[in-house]
Amino acid sequence: MKRILYAILVLIVYSSCQQHVLPEQSEDKCVLELNITRADVPTVASRAIDAGLAVRILDANGKEYLNYPAGDVPSRIILEPGLFAVCAYTDNQETWHSANHGKGEACYYSSLLVKIEYDHTTRVSMSVPMTNYAVGVALPEKFEELFPSHQLTLKSGSREVVIQEGEKAYFSKSDGGFTHALSVTNIDGMTHSYLPRSFTDVQSGKCYLLSYSYGFDETPQNIRAEVHEISTRE
């Protein structure tokens, strides 16, 4: 009789241990592995997540499920089975317009719907695009010697920005392009202002260079301007 009771007790203890072990093992069955970068920013090969991007994960009802700040996003996340939206973004979504003394800065956002299944690792790679566009300026050789005082004004929507060579201003495509106007004063003190010209063929994620050149001679009347697209890394 004692042997029977002992055998029953061993079975109960073994069963209890099994019940505790199985759920812990099953937690690693639903895994999301992330590789997220910004589309136009050089990445470090050893880093799976761009340190400049935050990640928010929403459930099938659009409610926030997980939220990781920039620089603290894990490359491996345990989730429940189901549908989730992975949103990767820079944290300047509402403030990029006013950054850099009003010139703005690049803003990035992307989202992707993923299905997480039991006993499966879901691997997701995202290249997050820039959602605004940039405008820079290039001046011809000897320009600053000939025109010691000059001002380039860019306007888009309700924003008006003054930039120098080597700087960039950032705008939203939704404002319908930009206008550029140049005012120069030469070494003799003669001032010339050019009427604003519009450029409307803009796309998000692009960088446009406003390039000035001389015409027949190096006088204010013969300065020409062209806009063309360049790499955002330039």
Side-chain angles (χ1 to χ4, degrees):
M1 185 66 179
K2 290 182 178 180
R3 290 181 178 178
I4 296 175
L5 291 174
Y6 179 79
I8 294 174
L9 181 61
V10 169
L11 287 173
I12 292 174
V13 172
Y14 179 77
S15 176
S16 176
C17 291
Q18 289 294 95
Q19 290 176 1
H20 284 288
V21 170
L22 284 175
E24 292 180 1
Q25 291 177 339
S26 66
E27 286 181 0
D28 287 340
K29 297 295 184 179
C30 305
V31 179
L32 175 64
E33 288 189 357
L34 297 174
N35 188 297
I36 304 177
T37 60
R38 281 175 286 182
D40 56 354
V41 177
T43 59
V44 178
S46 60
R47 183 182 290 274
I49 309 295
D50 189 315
L53 294 172
V55 168
R56 180 166 56 242
I57 298 179
L58 309 178
D59 64 18
N61 297 316
K63 293 183 179 180
E64 186 174 285
Y65 186 84
L66 289 172
N67 194 341
Y68 299 100
D72 196 29
V73 182
S75 59
R76 189 172 185 272
I77 301 173
I78 307 301
L79 296 172
E80 300 173 352
L83 288 175
F84 294 89
V86 179
C87 307
Y89 56 95
T90 48
D91 58 10
N92 62 348
Q93 301 298 306
E94 303 298 328
T95 61
W96 68 264
H97 311 77
S98 57
N100 295 322
H101 305 288
K103 295 180 180 66
E105 63 184 359
C107 181
Y108 296 81
Y109 180 88
S110 183
S111 64
L112 183 67
L113 189 65
V114 298
K115 183 179 182 181
I116 304 300
E117 299 177 334
Y118 178 75
D119 197 18
H120 182 72
T121 296
T122 301
R123 294 178 175 85
V124 170
S125 293
M126 297 175 67
S127 181
V128 182
M130 186 168 74
T131 57
N132 48 8
Y133 68 91
V135 181
V137 60
L139 300 175
E141 192 175 347
K142 298 182 180 180
F143 188 87
E144 293 188 353
E145 296 178 19
L146 296 168
F147 307 102
S149 177
H150 56 274
Q151 179 172 296
L152 172 63
T153 304
L154 304 175
K155 186 174 182 180
S156 181
S158 60
R159 293 174 58 221
E160 187 170 286
V161 178
V162 175
I163 65 170
Q164 303 292 329
E165 188 172 32
E167 297 180 333
K168 291 179 182 177
Y170 292 81
F171 302 106
S172 173
K173 180 187 175 183
S174 62
D175 289 328
F178 64 93
T179 61
H180 54 93
L182 178 66
S183 176
V184 299
T185 301
N186 65 12
I187 55 178
D188 296 323
M190 183 175 65
T191 298
H192 189 85
S193 296
Y194 300 84
L195 292 175
R197 296 176 60 185
S198 297
F199 185 80
T200 58
D201 186 20
V202 296
Q203 298 293 327
S204 298
K206 303 294 185 180
C207 184
Y208 300 95
L209 184 67
L210 180 57
S211 180
Y212 286 92
S213 61
Y214 304 119
F216 298 107
D217 54 42
E218 298 171 347
T219 61
Q221 293 84 355
N222 288 309
I223 295 176
R224 300 174 179 176
E226 294 181 348
V227 179
H228 55 275
E229 181 184 325
I230 62 172
S231 168
T232 52
R233 298 183 187 179
E234 293 184 29

